[in-house]
Amino acid sequence: MALSLLAASCGGDSEELAELKDQVAALEEKLEEATTTAPATTVAPTTSATTTSTTSAPPTTTTTTTTQAPATTTTTTTTTTTTQAPTTTAAPTTTQAPATTTTTTTITPQTVKEYLQEIGLNVPKMDPEHYYLFHESVTDDFIRHHAEFFDHMIGLLGGYDRFVHIFYDLDDPNEASIRTLNELGVMNRAGGPITSTDQINELRGCLNGFVAFNNWDGKNNWRICTEMNPLTDYDGVFGVARRESIGPVAFQYELFGHWAHEYFHHYQGAHAFNRSLAMPGDCCGLTDPTNTPAWWVEGAAIVFPILFLEDVFDDLTFSQENGVVVEQVEHSTGSRWVDKYPEAKASVMGVPWEGEISECTGVGPDDEYRDTGYATGGCSFHWSMMNAYIAYLTSYQTLLVGLSEDMWELGFDGSFEKHVGMTVDEFYDSYNAFMAEGDPDDPPPPGFFPTEPLSELVDFWAIRSG
């Protein structure tokens, strides 16, 4: 240290030197105090409330210059470089875990229902994906009336995709139809492509379903009616024998009613998406069944064609070309369904109808399945009346649209309770009590059967399912 060296260089015992030594000692003591207290002047040491990169004030740098006596002038210059908590860098480089762009995106796989909804399978449209296939011997008039009738149905009910209607003939190679069926992915019973008319005949039925190219992921389901030409089919329900029995004109209206019945099933199924419109015990290969009873699936599909044919009857070119009015063919159009009313009342009341007492004394759970409903002593003849009763209690909009609208989400039981205001079991009791009132010959109450055309009763295009 500079003071120590100075003291050592001044020898002698003079009074002056002694006095100077005392002064030097005093100065050393003061200097020591100054250098031991000052260094901790770490002004605003970590004053960073935000804890990010705060540069602590470095140790105080002390520079001391001492001038020798006699003037004994001590000058202490203290230069302190203090990095005061980074002014203005409020929240200094607040690299708030710089939103550490660790964006973890969890992609939820699309469900089957979401896929079907995305492609609009449940949305009515005027230009649906339909395939109508006819073999070469089918007449032009037959094709023309079929096309016009479906145009009317699509206009009122709506067009729903993935529907195939094929008419084939066992004596025809049906090559064009087979080509289209293979393009759509219809497979034969062995799981391969269709190669012959016999393989088409093995798939005969209406309404059936098929899975395109056997891709069973739930996203490739179609519905198909595979029918022989009714003008050459001798064995079918809608065949030559029936045509000869009731005449070609009445027979054509039965065909119209049949087509409307089956297409209405396609409409019903479209709003169930990937769920099976069935009861848990139904056949076959069901997917999450909606618990929908046969009396509604079939009953509503009986009511729709009756009301639809009455609505469009006069607009059909077949009616105009043949000079037919509905009263002439009311048995073929189903217009005589009103005759089921007294028969239904008589069966519930346990009294004879046309000389016989019915084994059916009331509707219930047995009507939820076709095998028991259609069985001897079953109550299937009540099914159209049960649906008319629902419409009487609510509306035809509820019967034909509302129940389907919530079918996928709530199942039949939940949708029924929401729209009809009672449980299915309560409905059975209500219907049976209603039919047991009065006398079988009593007319139905006003409003039980509709008097307005279907197009005024129901807006099918307003449906919002799923």
Side-chain angles (χ1 to χ4, degrees), residues 55-360:
T55 315
S56 284
T60 309
T61 308
T62 307
T63 306
T64 308
T65 309
T66 307
T67 311
Q68 175 189 348
T72 323
T73 309
T74 306
T75 308
T76 307
T77 308
T78 307
T79 308
T80 309
T81 312
T82 308
T83 314
Q84 268 194 341
T87 329
T88 332
T89 319
T93 325
T94 304
T95 325
Q96 250 190 352
T100 311
T101 319
T102 310
T103 312
T104 307
T105 308
T106 306
I107 300 176
T108 306
Q110 188 181 45
T111 65
V112 173
K113 183 259 183 178
E114 288 169 342
Y115 170 78
L116 298 177
Q117 198 162 23
E118 183 180 277
I119 65 173
L121 202 67
N122 65 317
V123 179
K125 48 188 75 71
M126 287 301 296
D127 56 345
E129 187 178 15
H130 284 188
Y131 293 85
Y132 311 132
L133 310 179
F134 307 92
H135 64 83
E136 294 178 2
S137 60
V138 173
T139 65
D140 289 342
D141 280 345
F142 184 90
I143 295 173
R144 176 168 59 88
H145 293 313
H146 180 276
E148 181 194 36
F149 189 75
F150 269 83
D151 281 346
H152 281 296
M153 276 203 296
I154 289 168
L156 180 66
L157 183 60
Y160 289 87
D161 293 336
R162 297 186 174 184
F163 178 79
V164 181
H165 202 173
I166 174 174
F167 296 91
Y168 65 97
D169 196 314
L170 288 174
D171 297 327
D172 192 295
N174 301 286
E175 292 174 352
S177 295
I178 288 175
R179 188 162 50 249
T180 301
L181 292 177
N182 285 327
E183 289 171 356
L184 294 175
V186 180
M187 314 300 281
N188 63 33
R189 291 291 185 194
I194 304 291
T195 59
S196 67
T197 297
D198 286 341
Q199 290 179 347
I200 296 177
N201 193 50
E202 289 173 354
L203 303 177
R204 182 176 182 174
C206 188
L207 184 70
N208 290 336
F210 73 90
V211 175
F213 301 102
N214 281 347
N215 188 350
W216 295 85
D217 61 0
K219 300 178 181 179
N220 296 279
N221 296 353
W222 289 63
R223 294 182 186 85
I224 183 171
C225 273
T226 306
E227 303 187 275
M228 286 185 65
N229 178 4
L231 304 181
T232 59
D233 176 17
Y234 284 86
D235 301 320
V237 175
F238 299 99
V240 174
R242 179 65 178 169
R243 186 170 183 265
E244 292 176 347
S245 171
I246 64 175
V249 173
F251 178 70
Q252 183 62 55
Y253 288 105
E254 285 196 354
L255 281 181
F256 287 150
H258 163 59
W259 297 342
H261 176 93
E262 302 304 343
Y263 186 69
F264 187 79
H265 281 326
H266 180 60
Y267 158 83
Q268 290 173 312
H271 297 292
F273 294 92
N274 59 314
R275 299 185 67 182
S276 298
L277 197 70
M279 295 295 291
D282 278 329
C283 175
C284 298
L286 304 179
T287 301
D288 189 18
T290 53
N291 212 47
T292 305
W295 62 259
W296 182 78
V297 176
E298 297 298 339
I302 291 170
V303 171
F304 171 76
I306 294 170
L307 300 181
F308 176 68
L309 268 171
E310 288 179 349
D311 198 338
V312 302
F313 190 92
D314 293 335
D315 296 327
L316 296 173
T317 55
F318 185 86
S319 301
Q320 297 164 5
E321 291 169 358
N322 289 278
V324 186
V325 293
V326 69
E327 288 76 17
Q328 293 175 289
V329 288
E330 57 187 2
H331 289 286
S332 296
T333 62
S335 297
R336 296 309 308 168
W337 72 312
V338 295
D339 294 342
K340 291 289 182 185
Y341 181 79
E343 180 184 1
K345 287 183 70 68
S347 77
V348 174
M349 298 174 74
V351 299
W353 177 255
E354 295 184 348
E356 294 185 8
I357 296 179
S358 173
E359 293 180 42
C360 169

